[in-house]
Amino acid sequence: MHKWAMLQRHAGALSSTPEQLARRARRAWLLFAAVALLIVTAALYGAGLYGRTAEIGALAAQGRTDANLKVALLRAVLESPRALPLLLSADQQVRDALSQKNAAAIDVLNRKLEGLVSGTKASVLYVIGADGLAIASSNWREPISFVGNDYRFRDYFSGAMQAGTAEYFALGNVSKRPGLYISRRVGDAAAPLGVVVVKMEFDQLEADWREANRPAYVSDENGVVLITSVPSWRFMTTAPLAAPKQAAIRDSQQFGDAPLVPLPIMHAQALSPDVSIVHAVTPGGSDAQYLSLSTPVPSTPWRLDYLIPAEAPIAAAVREMRLLALGVVVPLLGLAAYLLWRRQSAQMRIAAEQAARTELERRVVERTEDLSRARDRLQAEITGHRNTEAKLQVVQQDLVQANRLAILGQVAAGVAHEINQPVATIRAYADNARTFLDRKQTGPAEENLGAIAALTERIGSITEELKAFARKGRTAAEPVELRGVIEGAVMLLRSRFAGRLDALVVDLPLPSLKVMGNRVRLEQVLINLFQNALEALDGRDDAHVQVSVEETADGVTISVSDNGPGIPPAILKSLFTPFNTSKEKGLGLGLVISKDIVADYGGRIEVSSGDSGTRFTIHLQKAA
């Protein structure tokens, strides 16, 4: 029914006459033109506003960076000479010249100031007596020497005499050059001797600023421009001065006869507390638009104002954004016009569209069926994936269990390997005890039985150590007498290698030598190494195993060397890998366990082997 209603509506559209369709088309195109004009106007206005705002933000960000750099440079220039008055105020030659005022002391001071100013960024260094007359100056040889001039009227003199220190920017009354005067009182407030003054000029700083071709100026708390990249702006004001303030400045002769007129900057439009759009007239130029940024200069009452040309960048940004907006809006309007034309044309081809719509509906049905089949296949694949994932989880659990069993088997094999030597020794002692009892020799038999008891305790210690290893634990290291460890290992091997133990030559260390470790576990290491060396020499008449101990700067080194045939290269590459052995009945765990034990106590094992024999070197930490 819904499709039939749509066909009826299309049939009703066909009943319209060509004249009626033409009138509808003209009205539609007039309305489209009005809407398109409104959209284009709004897009151009919005794009221009956005472009202007974005460009101002970019210029402000760039300007803040530049302004901060200029402030940092200005502070660097200021900080260097500020230390000079402080140092000179405590200088004995300065005090002598002010107190004695004889020609010799003043001559020494003149030469000293002359030498100091040449190695600093200061313009002039001079010393003023308590009466305000300059007694010494770094420019004492020059025609414009400050010596003898009266500076009582200068604020930096009176301020230093009263407060101890002062900073004052002014035009020099002798040199007629502007600069910052930094002064400090010599002597205490009760009995001042005079004032030390350093004058610094900013010609180089202004020249560096001038290279950027962007106006920058520093003004004081009264708004008077002190330092500027535009020379003609010096001693102009950021705002008109009140008549009393202007008269006070002129009376102080701080800026000479400067007119103190406002800067040619007007029509300020504040964008934020420190950013505004202004119009300024620069020397040799016309009225131009600038982005003005203002920032305080730390450690001074000054402010830095930085002007960035904004007219051309803003115009370019506005133009670019408007072109971009047109690039987006015009194609969209063209697409809308095309759709409108197509709709009007479609009304003339309702019948053809109806056939096309029927064909489209048929394709939609087919596509729906295809999507349904694809959905069924996807669901089947999802089910298969879930089943596979479940199987993978089962296999993964089986692998974890198999890995756990393998680890348990390795630990069990290690236990069997590690208690093999004491068990063999117990067997030998038991046989000896039986023989002694048959001979009615109870004394030796009791000694053997006592040794058997000690060895059973040792087996218990070994199993406890290995159980601790299975629990991923380690016995804490403690000071152990190394001589006792070596003797215990030899004792355990004495029964097993009876008759062959003469090949083992041990250089026992002093009883006082101790290492960090555990006696039972260190004996395990030595037993493994001694046993391997003796077994490698089995059947040789010239068998020789040398055991030596050496104290080093880092710790203690134990060397076990034999003159056997050496270790085959294939086995040597993976010597410390579990189950790697050349013995028929060997498990390949002795060296692995030995390496882990030594590593637990911060040591290491090294091995070197060749045709002339094998050498194992154990490095242990020496106990304090």
Side-chain angles (χ1 to χ4, degrees), residues 314-568:
I314 291 176
V318 170
R319 182 169 57 253
E320 181 179 355
M321 291 305 301
R322 285 176 174 173
L323 289 175
L324 181 61
L326 289 176
V328 174
V329 171
V330 170
L332 291 177
L333 291 176
L335 178 61
Y338 169 74
L339 294 176
L340 179 61
W341 171 82
R342 184 177 178 180
R343 179 177 179 277
Q344 292 175 350
S345 300
Q347 291 178 354
M348 306 299 293
R349 299 188 300 272
I350 291 297
E353 289 183 1
Q354 181 61 35
R357 187 175 297 106
T358 302
E359 178 64 17
L360 179 61
E361 290 176 354
R362 183 185 65 80
R363 293 181 180 179
V364 167
V365 172
E366 292 178 355
R367 183 59 177 165
T368 302
E369 293 177 354
D370 292 339
L371 291 175
S372 298
R373 288 192 293 270
R375 181 198 60 194
D376 296 338
R377 289 195 300 270
L378 182 59
Q379 289 178 346
E381 290 178 0
I382 292 174
T383 303
H385 287 319
R386 288 176 178 172
N387 294 334
T388 302
E389 183 178 357
K391 293 178 181 179
L392 286 175
Q393 290 179 352
V394 173
V395 172
Q396 184 179 13
Q397 293 174 359
D398 293 342
L399 289 175
V400 172
Q401 182 64 19
N403 187 28
R404 184 181 296 111
L405 293 176
I407 293 172
L408 292 175
Q410 181 178 348
V411 172
V415 170
H417 181 84
E418 290 301 325
I419 68 176
N420 186 41
Q421 294 89 356
V423 167
T425 307
I426 289 172
R427 176 62 181 271
Y429 278 129
D431 292 341
N432 292 339
R434 184 184 294 112
T435 301
F436 286 131
L437 290 174
D438 291 342
R439 296 175 182 176
K440 306 301 183 179
Q441 298 177 353
T442 58
E446 289 179 357
E447 291 179 1
N448 286 353
L449 290 175
I452 290 172
L455 287 172
T456 55
E457 291 179 359
R458 174 166 179 74
I459 291 174
S461 300
I462 292 174
T463 56
E464 286 298 326
E465 292 294 331
L466 291 175
K467 283 193 294 183
F469 175 76
R471 292 194 298 270
K472 296 183 180 179
R474 295 290 186 271
T475 303
E478 59 184 4
V480 177
E481 183 182 328
L482 184 57
R483 184 187 184 102
V485 173
I486 298 175
E487 290 175 343
V490 174
M491 183 269 294
L492 287 174
L493 292 174
R494 181 172 291 113
S495 297
R496 180 175 177 182
F497 293 95
R500 289 186 290 163
L501 208 59
D502 294 339
L504 186 64
V505 179
V506 181
D507 296 333
L508 290 173
L510 295 174
S512 60
L513 180 60
K514 295 184 179 181
V515 296
M516 296 303 296
N518 175 269
R519 172 166 182 153
V520 174
R521 302 192 77 195
L522 293 179
E523 284 180 1
Q524 293 175 16
V525 175
L526 295 181
I527 288 171
N528 280 323
L529 297 183
F530 294 169
Q531 176 180 281
N532 289 342
L534 293 171
E535 289 177 349
L537 300 174
D538 190 20
R540 293 175 65 110
D541 296 334
D542 60 342
H544 181 77
V545 178
Q546 180 68 42
V547 180
S548 61
V549 178
E550 180 183 358
E551 290 189 62
T552 65
D554 299 332
V556 177
T557 300
I558 307 171
S559 299
V560 181
S561 305
D562 64 61
N563 59 344
I567 303 173

Side-chain angles (χ1 to χ4, degrees), residues 561-621:
S561 305
D562 64 61
N563 59 344
I567 303 173
I571 296 178
L572 186 61
K573 292 180 179 178
S574 54
L575 189 62
F576 295 100
T577 302
F579 309 111
N580 176 45
T581 181
S582 60
K583 304 175 186 178
E584 294 181 0
K585 297 183 180 180
L587 295 176
L589 292 174
L591 290 177
V592 177
I593 295 173
S594 298
K595 181 182 179 181
D596 289 342
I597 290 173
V598 173
D600 283 345
Y601 301 127
R604 67 184 189 279
I605 296 181
E606 299 174 351
V607 59
S608 60
S609 184
D611 296 337
S612 59
T614 302
R615 180 186 182 92
F616 282 87
T617 304
I618 306 173
H619 299 274
L620 294 173
Q621 294 182 358

Side-chain angles (χ1 to χ4, degrees), residues 135-179:
I135 66 168
S137 174
S138 60
N139 62 359
W140 62 284
R141 300 178 187 270
E142 302 175 9
I144 57 170
S145 171
F146 290 0
V147 177
N149 290 325
D150 187 354
Y151 292 100
R152 284 177 295 177
F153 70 97
R154 286 297 196 186
D155 288 353
Y156 61 79
F157 173 77
S158 58
M161 291 291 286
Q162 295 173 5
T165 183
E167 292 188 5
Y168 187 68
F169 195 100
L171 184 69
N173 64 327
V174 176
S175 64
K176 301 303 180 182
R177 295 178 58 83

Side-chain angles (χ1 to χ4, degrees), residues 10-33:
H10 290 311
L14 286 174
S15 63
S16 299
T17 63
E19 290 77 8
Q20 290 175 335
L21 292 176
R23 285 196 296 272
R24 291 178 186 173
R26 284 194 296 271
R27 288 196 299 270
W29 282 112
L30 289 174
L31 179 61
F32 177 81

Side-chain angles (χ1 to χ4, degrees), residues 212-229:
N213 292 324
R214 292 183 175 182
Y217 56 91
V218 175
S219 56
D220 62 9
E221 65 274 17
N222 295 321
V224 180
V225 176
L226 307 178
I227 307 168
T228 175
S229 61

